[in-house]
Amino acid sequence: MNRVSVDQILPIEKYEAVRPAMQQRVWFEKARRRVHVGEHLTFLFENAETVRYQVQEMLRIERRSAPEDVAHEVATYNELIGGPGELGCTLLIEIDDPALRATKLAEWLELPAHLYAKLADGRLVRPVFDPRQVGETRVSSVHYLTFPVGDVAPVAIGADHPTLTAETAFAVDQHAALQSDLDAARA
């Protein structure tokens, strides 16, 4: 997957001028890469464009522009993008009710190991995840995952946890977006 480089980050003043157009384009791309699975899981697949936007927004909000700050943000957010043959994504476990959220995050302690991307041939590809996001008694509500899928985008994404089983097939435009990201990494 292509990465964001420091020289692609605009100074805050220049970013402000192009921000509305960039937001519109990135929101469209994020919509094509957002997949809801079951009632509580949302997967947002990342690419260089979505990550660049996140870096720009973080620097804008925090009003930081020192070269070392820009380099730090670029390096941090680039971790969300998979490498060649990989799809990187952010998983959000979305439960509004605090009591229910606490219960489910404890119940789903093993959830990251029960997530998968389904390939066209039916094989399930498990993600690589940061074990620091899984505590001793509960799982984090946000995860950064990488699915090593090879050169072909998966057809579905899901969970096969004993208490959370759900799968969502990718829509045609979602599949095309993910395939485009994988193709860009090979170019």
Side-chain angles (χ1 to χ4, degrees), residues 90-125:
T90 302
L91 167 64
L92 306 169
I93 300 174
E94 300 177 309
I95 304 172
D96 292 335
D97 179 277
L100 178 61
R101 182 174 52 247
T103 299
K104 291 297 184 184
L105 293 179
E107 183 179 310
W108 295 339
L109 184 62
E110 300 293 324
L111 180 64
H114 289 275
L115 301 172
Y116 63 85
K118 182 185 277 185
L119 302 181
D121 64 7
R123 284 183 297 139
L124 303 183
V125 177

Side-chain angles (χ1 to χ4, degrees), residues 43 80 87-91 112 115 127-129 143-147:
F43 294 83
L80 301 179
L87 293 170
C89 75
T90 302
L91 167 64
L115 301 172
V128 176
F129 60 92
H143 287 270
Y144 305 109
L145 310 170
T146 304
F147 289 92

Side-chain angles (χ1 to χ4, degrees), residues 70-89:
V70 173
H72 172 75
E73 293 300 328
V74 167
T76 298
Y77 281 99
N78 268 337
E79 291 180 14
L80 301 179
I81 301 174
E86 298 176 333
L87 293 170
C89 75

Side-chain angles (χ1 to χ4, degrees), residues 110-178:
E110 300 293 324
L111 180 64
H114 289 275
L115 301 172
Y116 63 85
K118 182 185 277 185
L119 302 181
D121 64 7
R123 284 183 297 139
L124 303 183
V125 177
R126 302 294 176 175
V128 176
F129 60 92
D130 186 344
R132 294 173 297 180
Q133 293 176 301
V134 179
E136 291 184 26
T137 60
R138 65 183 283 266
V139 68
S140 173
S141 60
V142 177
H143 287 270
Y144 305 109
L145 310 170
T146 304
F147 289 92
V149 296
D151 293 336
V152 180
V155 296
I157 190 155
D160 58 7
H161 187 276
T163 64
L164 175 61
T165 302
E167 181 178 284
T168 300
F170 291 114
V172 172
D173 65 326
Q174 291 171 325
H175 185 268
L178 298 180

Side-chain angles (χ1 to χ4, degrees), residues 47-75:
N47 68 5
E49 189 168 9
T50 64
V51 164
R52 179 177 171 222
Y53 172 75
Q54 288 175 275
V55 170
Q56 291 284 178
E57 283 294 301
M58 185 62 67
L59 294 170
R60 175 185 166 271
I61 290 166
E62 296 180 356
R63 306 309 291 175
R64 294 184 299 128
S65 59
E68 62 274 9
D69 292 337
V70 173
H72 172 75
E73 293 300 328
V74 167

